[in-house]
């Protein structure tokens, strides 16, 4: 009995104490919410620019789309944490998540996820029904096809998950216009979906042993580093080609997208020859974050400033 008490105290000491704000932030994956909101604003502002609409004219739509997107993305994070708590307990980078440590109960996580999903989709409907449709599709694909069905079953889990990951800019676009055949719409979708594979392959290499221990069939775990490297470069070449989808909108955006993607491919090829897989993956991961941040920031600022300078 005393031995069990000592073990219990030891386990409690290993679990870091967390404030309520930190628990909620990790449960809803606040970092992912922020990054996806940038993507959403890229789609929203590009739609404003291409349709010659002032942000003030669409202020209610912008507000409700921002609130709705944040809630839906947070709900997706909560559902993912709720469902994956068994494998999260195995992986070092996720073992201290609140759903694993017990800082938040699984029933509470599920309740909050459902509540946020309903509130978020309602806010998106108020913005535009089309924005709500993309919000629903993003949430659905992330929770069911990706998290529940395919993440633990196939090496193509990243490709399946990328469908959901590409929805935020489409939500922003749909909040402003219903034109779904515009080159800007396809450009946003293509760039966002293609970017995700090199980004997540890099994470999978860096956390290879953890994914292997959790029996998650990530590409480098099942097929090895060389196959992952080749597939990464294929997607980077496709990403370079996708840069030209913006050509009818802005040469500046095309050049930024093209330069970033070419540098990324160069880093991949040169790094593969000179670095260990772990260092290569780290370099690729860091550059992927810079790539998408710079590109979306360029789209946002260009779309907002271009009308004033008649670019």
């Amino acid at each position: 009995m005393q031995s069990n008490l000592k073990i219990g105290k030891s386990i409690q000491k290993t679990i870091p104490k967390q404030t309520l704000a930190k628990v909620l932030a990790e449960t809803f994956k606040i970092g992912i919410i922020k990054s996806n909101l940038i993507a959403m604003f890229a789609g929203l502002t590009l739609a404003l620019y291409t349709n010659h609409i002032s942000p003030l004219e669409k202020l209610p739509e912008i507000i409700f789309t921002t609130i709705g997107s944040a809630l839906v993305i947070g709900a997706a994070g909560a559902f993912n944490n709720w469902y994956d708590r068994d494998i999260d307990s195995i992986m070092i980078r996720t073992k201290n998540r609140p759903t694993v440590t017990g800082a938040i109960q699984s029933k509470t996580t599920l309740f909050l996820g459902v509540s946020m999903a309903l509130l978020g989709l309602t806010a998106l409907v108020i913005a535009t029904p089309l924005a709500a449709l993309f919000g629903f599709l993003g949430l659905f694909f992330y929770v069911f096809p990706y998290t529940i069905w395919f993440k633990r079953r196939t090496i193509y889990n990243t490709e399946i998950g990328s469908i959901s990951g590409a929805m935020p800019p489409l939500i922003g676009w749909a909040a402003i216009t219903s034109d779904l055949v515009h080159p800007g719409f396809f450009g946003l979708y293509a760039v966002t979906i293609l970017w995700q594979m090199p980004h997540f392959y890099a994470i999978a290499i860096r956390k290879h042993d953890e994914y292997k221990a959790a029996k998650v069939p990530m590409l480098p775990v099942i097929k090895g580093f060389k196959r992952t490297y080749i597939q990464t470069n294929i997607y980077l070449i496709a990403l370079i080609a996708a840069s030209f989808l913006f050509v009818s909108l802005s040469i500046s955006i095309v050049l930024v997208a093209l330069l970033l993607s070419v540098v990324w491919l160069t880093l991949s090829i040169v790094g593969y020859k000179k670095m260990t897989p772990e260092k290569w993956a780290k370099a690729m991961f860091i550059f992927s974050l810079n790539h998408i941040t710079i590109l979306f920031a360029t789209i946002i600022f260009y779309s907002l400033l271009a009308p004033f300078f008649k670019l």
Side-chain angles (χ1 to χ4, degrees):
M1 184 69 176
Q2 290 180 345
S3 177
N4 289 337
L5 287 173
K6 288 180 180 179
I7 293 172
K9 290 179 180 180
S10 176
I11 292 173
Q12 288 179 349
K13 289 179 181 179
T14 63
I15 299 175
K17 293 182 179 180
Q18 297 174 309
T19 63
L20 177 60
K22 186 173 177 62
V23 167
L24 293 177
E26 292 188 7
T27 300
F28 304 141
K29 301 186 179 182
I30 195 70
I32 292 177
I33 293 176
K34 291 177 181 178
S35 61
N36 277 279
L37 283 181
I38 294 174
M40 186 278 290
F41 276 113
L44 189 151
T45 54
L46 188 62
L48 289 172
Y49 167 70
T50 56
N51 290 278
H52 309 289
I53 300 173
S54 167
L56 295 177
E57 295 178 43
K58 294 286 186 176
L59 191 57
E61 287 87 347
I62 293 172
I63 293 172
F64 280 108
T65 302
T66 303
I67 295 172
S69 297
L71 288 171
V72 169
I73 296 164
F79 286 131
N80 180 260
N81 279 335
W82 169 77
Y83 189 80
D84 277 351
R85 58 192 186 279
D86 58 333
I87 59 175
D88 283 346
S89 65
I90 299 171
M91 301 176 66
I92 295 173
R93 74 183 183 91
T94 57
K95 68 178 183 179
N96 288 325
R97 283 179 174 172
T99 43
V100 175
T101 64
I104 186 170
Q105 296 299 311
S106 59
K107 290 182 179 179
T108 303
T109 304
L110 188 58
F111 171 77
L112 290 174
V114 171
S115 300
M116 290 175 68
L118 293 174
L119 289 172
L121 290 173
T122 300
L124 289 176
V125 167
I126 295 172
T128 69
L130 189 57
L133 174 61
F134 284 122
F136 171 78
L137 290 175
L139 181 62
F140 174 82
F141 272 99
Y142 188 76
V143 174
F144 293 100
Y146 173 65
T147 299
I148 295 178
W149 295 335
F150 294 116
K151 180 177 180 179
R152 308 184 192 203
R153 292 178 172 86
T154 174
I155 60 172
Y156 299 105
N157 50 21
T158 303
E159 282 78 358
I160 294 164
S162 70
I163 297 172
S164 173
M167 288 299 159
L170 305 192
I171 294 172
W173 179 275
I176 304 301
T177 177
S178 59
D179 183 2
L180 304 185
V181 296
H182 195 283
F185 178 85
F186 289 111
L188 288 166
Y189 184 73
V191 166
T192 310
I193 205 168
L194 291 170
W195 171 86
Q196 292 177 79
M197 266 61 79
H199 171 75
F200 287 110
Y201 288 163
I203 294 176
I205 291 174
R206 295 182 69 195
K207 305 299 178 182
H208 175 279
D209 293 343
E210 295 181 39
Y211 281 115
K212 185 177 181 179
K215 297 181 180 179
V216 179
M218 301 302 289
L219 182 64
V221 173
I222 304 301
K223 296 296 184 179
F225 173 56
K226 187 173 182 180
R227 164 70 179 273
T228 306
Y229 164 73
I230 293 171
Q231 207 155 303
T232 292
N233 289 346
I234 291 172
Y235 281 117
L236 288 176
I237 291 170
L239 190 61
I240 290 172
S243 303
F244 294 99
L245 290 171
F246 296 108
V247 71
S248 64
L249 302 177
S250 166
I251 295 299
S252 298
I253 293 176
V254 172
L255 291 176
V256 171
L258 186 61
L259 178 62
L260 287 168
S261 299
V262 168
V263 172
W264 198 0
L265 178 61
T266 303
L267 173 64
S268 177
I269 295 172
V270 174
Y272 177 75
K273 297 177 181 178
K274 297 184 177 181
M275 301 177 186
T276 63
E278 291 75 18
K279 287 185 178 180
W280 178 86
K282 183 177 181 180
M284 292 291 285
F285 172 73
I286 292 173
F287 191 86
S288 71
L289 297 178
N290 290 323
H291 177 286
I292 205 67
T293 302
I294 294 171
L295 177 58
F296 281 153
T298 298
I299 292 174
I300 292 169
F301 285 114
Y302 182 90
S303 299
L304 293 175
L305 298 176
F308 295 100
F309 297 98
K310 295 181 180 181
L311 297 175

